[in-house]
Amino acid sequence: MLKAEQVSKSFGDTAVLRDLTIEIPDKTIFGLVGINGAGKSTFLRLAAGVYQPDQGRITLNGQDTLKEDAVRKDISFVADEAYYPLGATLGSVASLYESMYDFDNALFETYCGMFELNRKTPMANYSKGMRRRASIILALCTHPKLLLLDEAYDGLEPLARLQFKRILAQRLEEEEITVVISSHNLRELEDICDSFGILENGTIQRHGDLLESKGAINKYQMAFEQELTKEDFKGLDILRFEKEGRVIQMVVRGEERAVMQVLQEHQPLFTDVLPVTFEEMFLYELEQRGDRS
Amino acid sequence: MNKNYFKYLVRNRKLLIGFFFVLYLVISLFLFRIDRSREIFCSIVMTAVILSLGMAFVLPVLLFSFAMRRNSADVYFALPVSRKEMRLTSLLFAFALCYGYFLITVLIAWLLCGIGTVRLLHLAVILVFFAFVCAAMLVINSFLYLIGNNIPDGIIILAAYTMFPLFAVLAEDLIVSNLIAGNMILVNPAKAWILSPISVLVTNCIAVIDFRLADFNIPYFAAGVLYAFIGWFGLKKEFDERKSERAEHISDHPLAYKTIINCYAALFSLLFASSLVHYPEAEYVVAFVMLLGCYIIATFLYQRKLKLEWKSLALFGAEVIISLAIMVVGWNTRGFGLADQIPLSQGDTLTYEYYLMADQDDLGRGKDMSMNEVHEAYVGFTLAVKTDRIEEHQEVIDLMESYRKKAIDNYYARKEQEYSGYLRTMNSRNGNSILEYTYPTFAPISEEDLRIINRYAEVTVNCYEYYEKWDEEPEKLLEDYLDWRAHQS
């Protein structure tokens, strides 16, 4: 389990993370989302031991990821920008991983074949997407217990994303692995993640199972005989309310049956219930917090 | 030390290791000759020292640059290695290269041309001492490099701190020359060399290589040890506690640009102030204005933005004012009293040297430097008095001191040199000169006083015109010259 306990981190006078606390269980693919500058990359780097927290600590299975070097053997961090020394080939970059981790060479060869990467080609000759693939492959071949992907998924073409998704799914079945992915592309994350956390104002504002959370929010489109306002639906947790004449579209958090019961009281002429996407859920959460503040 | 990380460093730099090794051997052994000779051995060792010290600057940059780039910092600081282990392993790797090449080269040199001419003890002392020098330079340079937050800044900061003592030495020489009458030369090395780690270490290294252990400088050794300690603990702090998010940011460390720019500004302020008090001319005021310009440009460059803080300008102003105040006090106290000092210890020898292009008809009248007359006579003497014989020579010493004080008075009255010649005083110990003053603003010694001096030292007069005209020997003793001149007239 990855656990962050009251983690705070500032850069100069700017507080990025404030008393952040979260537990991410094993065998989960956790999507970490937030606006630009929310602190996603900072959190991942803290978890990887690259940054030192100002306060608090992050542990993996009870071991501090910063202070205990051995635990970092079980952590692989893939940054948004791939690193390679001047003139390096994929093979020479792999030598660092071979030296420092329990690197699976056979698996590495398999993945190179799968993703059509030649280990003798200079990394400078790879496209951005190929370098991304190379970084993820190198991380996977260390058989990490915690895989941290900082927007590493972005920029992969659909086939590569599909292949990685299959690999991750297979790993989740076979090994004790936790994956934390940060991304702006929530549609991609929706395909792969089973849990999520929304990072805002330096803390995790909402987190949990993705399906459950999405299931708890629905979009309702209705038409009524008379014009109604938001005030008429006071008992509901409305995340968004749009009205055009007698047609109302609203996003409501709550169990569908309970919500429908309340809606039926106003005798709608028709009602459509639509699920929300992860992206929509994220946007509605942000809007709601914006309204409250 | 982390074995895996060490193996990675070796594996990743195989080509570099091999290339530098071959280059090292070729350059060092270029001086090799078939005949066994201690001199050849020492030359090879010195060449190896220079190459290793060069590597001691390059290797910290190569090994610690990963901390200066964001993407490499992400990879390396996430490795399952503690910062301490990473630091120690990198240093050990650098030492293995720097010292390892040196060791192999010196052993080869000893086998080829040192056996029989260089004792084993001498060899052992060289190897042990240079191990210390190598290690010290690696930790010092690594510490200085890591003061920066990005690679260019790290290199500039390392270069600036390395070069500063050289500028300090030049400034010391010029300030002493400006402020102290007599253009005082300290035959011993300038004090400012002690600010340079490489200088204090290499000076003793040379003494060890030449096996001149009497020349081994204890204060320099102590300074070298101190610098090594500072480097060790500074590197520990800068690396182990380094915030990796500093990578690629502006270098805002307290010891970075602010300190460097102000140290250089203060040094040049002192230098210009000493020139200004000596020669109060407009060009030195312009020098201050130019220094301010350089200060502002340097501040812009390091901040990467066009923003000037009043605090920076105030600090610069304070440096200039303090420098001027120090130099004015120095000038008014005749070089802080150093101009009048001739400190003598038991066993020292006090020497006066005098030389003047004088008028043939009056040896106490010097020739104006601008005049081009032929009736010249060159009068000179060297008077050397050991401290245990000062009493016997008190008359002549008092006489010489009166001329010396007159020369000093002329200097502080800002008089120009009028005559072709000089008055010089020297302290020497065991045959080695330790302090020298040369006074260009001296007043010629009268013939009467020359006669007094002649009783204690040989005063000679050279007159080439008489030699050419009358086939006489050009150099005569004073009394002979005066008699001879009297006869001619």
Side-chain angles (χ1 to χ4, degrees):
Chain A
M1 177 190 293
L2 179 68
K3 200 170 168 185
E5 296 168 81
Q6 295 184 302
V7 172
S8 295
K9 179 69 180 173
S10 296
F11 297 115
D13 296 330
T14 308
V16 176
L17 299 181
R18 290 172 239 245
D19 286 334
L20 187 150
T21 298
I22 189 161
E23 284 180 18
I24 300 171
D26 293 336
K27 290 173 91 70
T28 187
I29 302 178
F30 184 89
L32 183 64
V33 300
I35 58 171
N36 288 336
K40 304 184 294 297
S41 298
T42 302
F43 176 75
L44 293 181
R45 282 176 172 83
L46 285 164
V50 174
Y51 288 175
Q52 300 158 359
D54 298 331
Q55 276 174 35
R57 64 183 204 143
I58 298 180
T59 57
L60 177 67
N61 300 328
Q63 291 180 288
D64 193 313
T65 60
L66 177 69
K67 290 179 182 157
E68 296 182 54
D69 318 313
V71 73
R72 290 203 294 279
K73 224 169 187 171
D74 295 327
I75 302 175
S76 269
F77 171 57
V78 182
D80 50 347
E81 230 180 279
Y83 161 68
Y84 54 92
L86 197 65
T89 62
L90 178 55
S92 64
V93 175
S95 71
L96 172 63
Y97 293 82
E98 281 167 10
S99 303
M100 306 305 300
Y101 298 92
D102 294 327
F103 193 74
D104 189 340
N105 259 305
L107 189 61
F108 180 60
E109 295 297 335
T110 307
Y111 285 159
C112 283
M114 196 188 292
F115 293 100
E116 294 171 5
L117 296 171
N118 186 338
R119 62 184 296 166
K120 289 186 184 159
T121 305
M123 293 285 285
N125 291 359
Y126 282 169
S127 67
K128 188 178 170 187
M130 288 165 83
R131 277 183 232 141
R132 279 268 157 84
R133 276 186 259 160
S135 299
I136 299 175
I137 286 167
L138 288 166
L140 286 170
C141 291
T142 63
H143 291 286
K145 290 202 171 92
L146 175 65
L147 178 62
L148 304 165
L149 302 174
D150 186 11
E151 297 184 26
Y153 228 55
D154 298 359
L156 290 177
E157 81 276 13
L159 181 60
R161 276 207 301 276
L162 187 61
Q163 284 171 319
F164 276 120
K165 190 179 163 187
R166 285 184 187 146
I167 290 170
L168 286 178
Q170 190 184 8
R171 286 293 188 87
L172 274 168
E173 271 187 38
E174 294 168 2
E175 296 174 20
E176 292 280 326
I177 184 170
T178 302
V179 182
V180 180
I181 309 178
S182 81
S183 180
H184 292 115
N185 194 330
L186 302 187
R187 283 175 211 172
E188 283 183 16
L189 283 189
E190 189 166 14
D191 282 342
I192 194 167
C193 296
D194 49 38
S195 56
F196 77 101
I198 296 177
L199 184 52
E200 200 193 340
N201 287 331
T203 57
I204 299 288
Q205 297 291 340
R206 188 176 285 284
H207 69 278
D209 186 273
L210 185 59
L211 273 176
E212 263 179 44
S213 296
K214 273 170 41 179
I217 300 174
N218 289 293
K219 211 184 300 182
Y220 299 87
Q221 287 177 332
M222 301 149 291
F224 298 91
E225 275 191 9
Q226 63 278 6
E227 275 197 36
L228 297 171
T229 66
K230 194 175 172 183
E231 298 304 310
D232 295 313
F233 301 96
K234 257 189 203 163
L236 297 174
D237 183 5
I238 300 173
L239 301 180
R240 181 186 271 190
F241 184 90
E242 285 171 5
K243 184 182 112 143
E244 211 170 306
R246 292 178 295 148
V247 177
I248 289 172
Q249 192 180 82
M250 57 183 171
V251 179
V252 182
R253 179 185 284 120
E255 207 225 325
E256 187 184 334
R257 213 187 310 173
V259 170
M260 284 300 290
Q261 227 175 341
V262 173
L263 292 177
Q264 290 301 329
E265 288 170 12
H266 297 280
Q267 294 169 337
L269 296 171
F270 75 86
T271 312
D272 273 336
V273 182
L274 303 164
V276 296
T277 63
F278 187 18
E279 191 171 5
E280 284 173 325
M281 186 183 89
F282 173 66
L283 288 170
Y284 298 146
E285 289 283 350
L286 286 184
E287 278 174 10
Q288 193 186 34
R289 285 178 210 294
D291 288 342
R292 280 197 202 138
S293 60
Chain B
M1 215 262 308
N2 187 288
K3 267 191 272 187
N4 290 335
Y5 192 62
F6 190 89
K7 276 190 212 161
Y8 164 70
L9 289 174
V10 172
R11 213 196 303 184
N12 205 41
R13 288 171 171 83
K14 264 190 231 165
L15 210 60
L16 206 69
I17 293 170
F19 171 73
F20 276 121
F21 180 55
V22 170
L23 194 70
Y24 201 99
L25 276 181
V26 164
I27 294 174
S28 301
L29 296 176
F30 181 73
L31 294 163
F32 168 69
R33 300 289 179 267
I34 295 290
D35 47 308
R36 288 172 194 276
S37 148
R38 194 157 170 260
E39 285 70 35
I40 291 174
F41 171 78
C42 290
S43 301
I44 293 172
V45 172
M46 264 320 297
T47 308
V49 163
I50 292 167
L51 289 172
S52 281
L53 290 177
M55 287 182 74
F57 280 90
V58 170
L59 285 171
V61 174
L62 287 178
L63 291 171
F64 291 109
S65 283
F66 73 83
M68 310 278 217
R69 284 190 301 259
R70 213 175 125 255
N71 56 4
S72 54
D74 283 343
V75 171
Y76 280 85
F77 286 131
L79 292 175
V81 188
S82 68
R83 298 270 183 111
K84 180 183 171 182
E85 281 186 331
M86 202 178 268
R87 168 174 51 90
L88 293 174
T89 309
S90 300
L91 284 174
L92 189 66
F93 176 75
F95 183 77
L97 290 186
C98 249
Y99 185 70
Y101 288 173
F102 174 83
L103 178 67
I104 293 169
T105 305
V106 168
L107 288 175
I108 292 175
W110 186 73
L111 288 169
L112 290 176
C113 57
I115 291 181
T117 59
V118 177
R119 288 183 294 162
L120 215 53
L121 175 65
H122 181 190
L123 178 67
V125 168
I126 290 173
L127 292 176
V128 166
F129 188 74
F130 191 69
F132 162 66
V133 170
C134 205
M137 285 312 302
L138 280 170
V139 294
I140 291 163
N141 289 342
S142 301
F143 163 52
L144 292 176
Y145 180 62
L146 283 170
I147 288 172
N149 285 346
N150 55 73
I151 294 171
D153 283 355
I155 293 171
I156 289 169
I157 290 167
L158 175 59
Y161 274 108
T162 302
M163 295 301 294
F164 182 80
L166 177 63
F167 286 105
V169 163
L170 293 172
E172 180 185 335
D173 282 345
L174 286 168
I175 289 168
V176 163
S177 171
N178 282 330
L179 214 53
I180 300 176
N183 294 321
M184 186 181 85
I185 296 171
L186 288 164
V187 179
N188 288 333
K191 300 283 185 277
W193 279 122
I194 206 160
L195 295 174
S196 168
I198 193 168
S199 169
V200 301
L201 291 166
V202 167
T203 301
N204 279 335
C205 207
I206 294 171
V208 165
I209 290 169
D210 289 342
F211 219 57
R212 290 181 283 109
L213 297 180
D215 290 341
F216 191 86
N217 191 317
I218 302 290
Y220 273 20
F221 178 70
V225 170
L226 177 66
Y227 287 132
F229 265 111
I230 292 172
W232 178 262
F233 288 105
L235 175 60
K236 189 166 176 259
K237 187 168 188 314
E238 287 309 314
F239 189 77
D240 294 11
E241 295 168 34
R242 188 178 191 85
K243 291 193 174 203
S244 48
E245 58 263 30
R246 279 167 58 183
E248 295 181 17
H249 281 222
I250 286 174
S251 300
D252 54 359
H253 192 285
L255 293 177
Y257 286 108
K258 273 198 177 146
T259 299
I260 291 168
I261 290 171
N262 283 295
C263 282
Y264 273 89
L267 186 69
F268 281 98
S269 289
L270 284 168
L271 178 58
F272 293 155
S274 74
S275 298
L276 187 61
V277 297
H278 184 203
Y279 302 108
E281 287 170 18
E283 62 198 52
Y284 293 110
V285 177
V286 170
F288 276 110
V289 174
M290 286 174 60
L291 183 63
L292 175 62
C294 293
Y295 185 91
I296 292 171
I297 292 168
T299 307
F300 284 162
L301 284 175
Y302 109 75
Q303 287 178 330
R304 269 56 153 197
K305 60 183 175 188
L306 292 175
K307 185 187 167 192
L308 200 58
E309 294 174 357
W310 68 264
K311 277 186 205 169
S312 299
L313 289 174
L315 186 58
F316 178 81
E319 286 161 8
V320 170
I321 289 169
I322 291 169
S323 300
L324 284 167
I326 291 171
M327 292 306 156
V328 165
V329 168
W331 184 262
N332 290 331
T333 58
R334 294 156 77 95
F336 300 104
L338 290 172
D340 294 314
Q341 273 189 19
I342 305 184
L344 288 168
S345 301
Q346 195 63 32
D348 283 358
T349 301
L350 172 62
T351 305
Y352 295 94
E353 276 184 13
Y354 175 80
Y355 184 81
L356 178 71
M357 187 168 75
D359 192 321
Q360 288 172 14
D361 300 324
D362 180 0
L363 297 177
R365 186 165 64 214
K367 283 295 191 180
D368 190 312
M369 281 164 72
S370 65
M371 291 176 69
N372 187 16
E373 290 188 19
V374 298
H375 299 296
E376 292 159 0
Y378 300 90
V379 59
F381 63 85
T382 301
L383 171 68
V385 181
K386 280 204 149 165
T387 42
D388 56 359
R389 300 193 67 190
I390 280 185
E391 272 185 41
E392 299 164 28
H393 292 74
Q394 199 60 58
E395 182 194 16
V396 71
I397 287 173
D398 289 344
L399 181 64
M400 291 310 303
E401 283 299 302
S402 69
Y403 278 99
R404 193 173 77 85
K405 282 182 170 35
K406 179 73 184 150
I408 293 172
D409 291 343
N410 287 344
Y411 183 85
Y412 289 108
R414 296 195 178 90
K415 283 193 177 165
E416 298 284 335
Q417 181 177 4
E418 283 182 73
Y419 309 109
S420 181
Y422 58 84
L423 172 64
R424 180 180 293 153
T425 62
M426 287 183 294
N427 284 12
S428 52
R429 191 173 295 154
N430 300 324
N432 298 318
S433 186
I434 53 172
L435 186 60
E436 238 177 73
Y437 293 89
T438 301
Y439 302 100
T441 53
F442 67 103
I445 298 176
S446 66
E447 280 193 5
E448 194 184 322
D449 288 338
L450 283 172
R451 283 198 167 95
I452 297 170
I453 293 165
N454 199 43
R455 295 208 295 267
Y456 300 91
E458 201 173 79
V459 180
T460 58
V461 182
N462 279 278
C463 190
Y464 293 102
E465 188 193 333
Y466 286 103
Y467 166 70
E468 281 162 9
K469 268 190 182 169
W470 286 284
D471 201 20
E472 296 272 355
E473 284 295 321
E475 183 177 286
K476 295 182 186 298
L477 298 177
L478 177 67
E479 291 301 336
D480 293 339
Y481 174 80
L482 293 173
D483 286 340
W484 182 82
R485 188 181 66 183
H487 271 104
Q488 297 304 317
S489 58

